[in-house]
Amino acid sequence: VMNADGSDLVQLTDNDAEDGEISWSPDGRYIAFRSDASGNGEINVVSVESGEITNLTLNPAYDGEPVWSPATR
């Protein structure tokens, strides 16, 4: 992530795998993404603030293209 002008670049993942197919949470605090770090496409969520990554899926099928539900109030 970075500011709109390209400053303050922060790397949120650090592995040799391909990470992609990102989806920002409606509140802008998290990014859901597909990672091949396990050798298979899995869905993960990373906190933009802390950088903590949580794996959401782990199965033999490919999981990708995460999408958040719309925010409700």
Side-chain angles (χ1 to χ4, degrees):
V1 293
M2 67 181 128
N3 293 329
D5 65 3
S7 64
D8 294 327
L9 178 67
V10 176
Q11 183 171 331
L12 296 176
T13 63
D14 185 20
N15 61 58
D16 293 333
E18 180 181 334
D19 296 329
E21 300 174 9
I22 71 163
S23 178
W24 283 87
S25 66
D27 63 8
R29 295 175 52 210
Y30 300 93
I31 300 172
F33 65 99
R34 188 249 328 121
S35 178
D36 292 337
S38 71
N40 186 37
E42 302 294 348
I43 303 294
N44 294 274
V45 173
V46 61
S47 165
V48 174
E49 183 178 315
S50 71
E52 181 179 345
I53 297 174
T54 303
N55 175 260
L56 299 181
T57 64
L58 185 58
N59 64 67
Y62 177 84
D63 298 310
E65 300 183 29
V67 177
W68 294 88
S69 294
T72 59
R73 295 181 186 242

